[in-house]
Amino acid sequence: MEEKKLDINSIIGFILIFGILLFMMWQNAPSEEELKAQEAEKQAKIDAQKKAEAEKEDTKVVTETDFTEAKDSAQVAALQSKIGAFAYSVATATSSEKEINVQNEVLDLKFNTKGGHLSEVRLKQFVDFDSVPIYIVKDGNSVFNLQFQTTDNRTLNTKDLYFQPTVTKSGANTIVSMKLKTAQNKFLEYNYVIKPNEYMVDFTIKSQGIETDINTSNPITLDWSQKLYRHDQSISYENRYTRLTYQNDGDVDKLSQMSDDDETVDELEWLSYRQHFFSTILVADQPFNNVALRSKNLVEDEEVDSIYTKQFATKLDLPLSGANLNSNLKLYYGPTDSQILKQYEGNIVESIPFGWGIFGWINKFLFIPLFSGLSSFLPYGIAIIVMTVLIKLAMSFVQYKQYLSQMKMKILKPELEAIREKYKDNKLKAQQETMALQSKAGASPLAGCLPALIQMPVFYALFMFFPTAFALRQKKFLWADDLSSYDVIAELPFNIPLYGDHVSLFPILAAIAIFFYMKLTTGQNQMSAPQQEGMPDMTKMMKYMIYFAPIMMLIFFNQYASGLSLYYFISNLISIGILLVIKNFILDEDKIHANIQVKKAQPKKESKFQRKMKEMMEQAEKQKQMQEQQKKKRK
């Protein structure tokens, strides 16, 4: 074995490195002036910390850790030094924290003596997509807190204080009183009235005799936040319809649908923490002013199985009546169902997004009553089909007018092409002659567009109706387990962007139906609409749309409500049937052609608008001729 020897070069290297390190430490050592500056900075920080602690002693902000159960005089005295007069409530409590359970036929409620508010709200008649009970409030997802200053300069939060509970009966109603006492007859009270079969809870915040304990010259601030649980199969679809909605001064408004948002409003009458099919709604007896609303999106990745969708928060100052609180409110915990919400005053049914303007009216006064009537005696899937048939039959005259206009344009196509060829060097004259021929024959491209525009309000109203129809929730039809969510015929082992991780059959059927319908109508349009000079080639665009529209239907609706896809599938099938009937049994091309010739032979009385258009075009033609003559003279 080779003997290990001491390497002199290594020793010299280590010595040199050590020397270099010593030199660098000496070189970078702070000077005497720098040491003094560092010491002064350190002392300044110590002084600032002492000052902050002194200020904190003057205005004591009490936190949860300051509260413990106090039974003997020493504990009471220690607690009084921390929270002042409100130590009375803790000292007289039977336990530091206790839950009070109250139920009616639809709600299972738990009130916590710590904070005095609801710690759990379960809707007894509903479960989520995975058969788990629906909880609106649970495991600390909701915080309801009043913050105020005391007369001895303390800042207290009710969420950290202990209330004394009382449960009584008044007829069929159950009354839960939570009192935060400073003496036997001096208290801040939360009063809840739970009625039979009601989702709405009467809620009063009032005080008595504590004006000597609370500094009423400073605001008493209500801070209420809630994280909203996920309940639906598709978290992205549910999150799209999860939104903070409010009514102020009679107008209904909303925070942003998908991004974080905040707003400050006055004259707030009610606000809704809407979680798609379930809502928490606060209704005020008297409007609140200077209310700060905030919405935060909690779904960072829609592929992750998230617990919450959004977090909503509200901050406002409670008004005083004299020197005391007396705010009468209502709390709604229940389904976002128009049939239930419209029973309550305050217009809270408008928290459901029916659509704006005429679209909302169509839903509220036509589709909702129609579907409610049909679904009262038919299975929900059959009710959708019957409603679709009735809507398409009612709109069939629009399809008739549209097809008639296309057929007239098809008959006139040779004459229109002849006019364009004759006046190919004078586009303005060609346009005049084209309009004159269409007017005499009673055919116009607008006659085909206007019927399509009439259908748009119906189309959009139905697009808003199905995703918000609570009646469709968890209703089965054929292979669809839930008509308010997507249907699944195959699970994918991977996620396709925009499409998802599953295959839905109803969107596939709807895409096939819309393809064949567009194939029929596009072919007719191509025969009837000659290419306009200077305009895009609509024939090519329509060829692309035949394939683009079904693909968009297939992708976009794969994660949408299967009830909506079912509607479009049936709707397009009926449209194909109506089109074939009109084409083969109602409209006769020879008769239409003969009728056009008769109209062309008859003197056509021009309307004021037509005369005005003709005069404008003639003036434009004269100006063009004058410009051309001037150009020739210059040459």
Side-chain angles (χ1 to χ4, degrees), residues 486-627:
Y486 55 79
D487 61 293
V488 180
I489 58 166
E491 297 281 359
L492 300 176
F494 47 83
N495 185 77
I496 302 174
L498 300 177
Y499 186 75
D501 58 359
H502 64 277
V503 177
S504 298
L505 182 55
F506 276 128
I508 295 174
L509 296 176
I512 294 171
I514 198 173
F515 172 78
F516 283 106
Y517 176 69
M518 292 190 70
K519 195 79 173 174
L520 286 171
T521 56
T522 303
Q524 182 67 26
N525 286 332
Q526 289 172 358
M527 289 187 291
S528 63
Q531 173 66 27
Q532 297 283 343
E533 293 186 21
M535 297 295 289
D537 190 346
M538 296 302 295
T539 302
K540 288 184 178 180
M541 291 180 66
M542 291 304 296
K543 283 182 179 179
Y544 294 138
M545 283 301 296
I546 290 176
Y547 301 98
F548 181 72
I551 290 172
M552 289 301 296
M553 168 75 72
L554 194 66
I555 295 173
F556 185 70
F557 283 82
N558 193 61
Q559 298 193 69
Y560 243 72
S562 54
L564 183 61
S565 300
L566 171 62
Y567 166 79
Y568 284 126
F569 169 55
I570 301 300
S571 177
N572 283 297
L573 282 183
I574 296 171
S575 294
I576 292 171
I578 291 174
L579 186 61
L580 293 174
V581 170
I582 292 172
K583 181 179 179 181
N584 296 313
F585 299 102
I586 297 178
L587 294 180
D588 187 326
E589 189 170 335
D590 293 334
K591 288 183 179 180
I592 294 172
H593 185 271
N595 190 36
I596 288 175
Q597 299 308 316
V598 171
K599 286 185 176 181
K600 285 167 58 179
Q602 293 175 349
K604 181 71 175 179
K605 185 179 180 181
E606 293 182 339
S607 65
K608 290 183 179 180
F609 175 76
Q610 289 174 325
R611 286 198 301 270
K612 190 68 176 177
M613 286 293 295
K614 186 176 180 180
E615 290 172 2
M616 290 172 63
M617 293 177 73
E618 289 174 350
Q619 290 176 1
E621 178 67 19
K622 289 179 181 178
Q623 289 178 357
K624 183 180 178 181
Q625 291 175 357
M626 290 175 62
Q627 289 174 357

Side-chain angles (χ1 to χ4, degrees), residues 398-408 520-521 524 579 582-583 587:
V398 174
Q399 198 169 352
Y400 171 80
K401 290 287 186 182
Q402 195 172 7
Y403 193 80
L404 177 62
S405 175
Q406 291 173 1
M407 188 168 284
K408 286 182 178 179
L520 286 171
T521 56
Q524 182 67 26
L579 186 61
I582 292 172
K583 181 179 179 181
L587 294 180

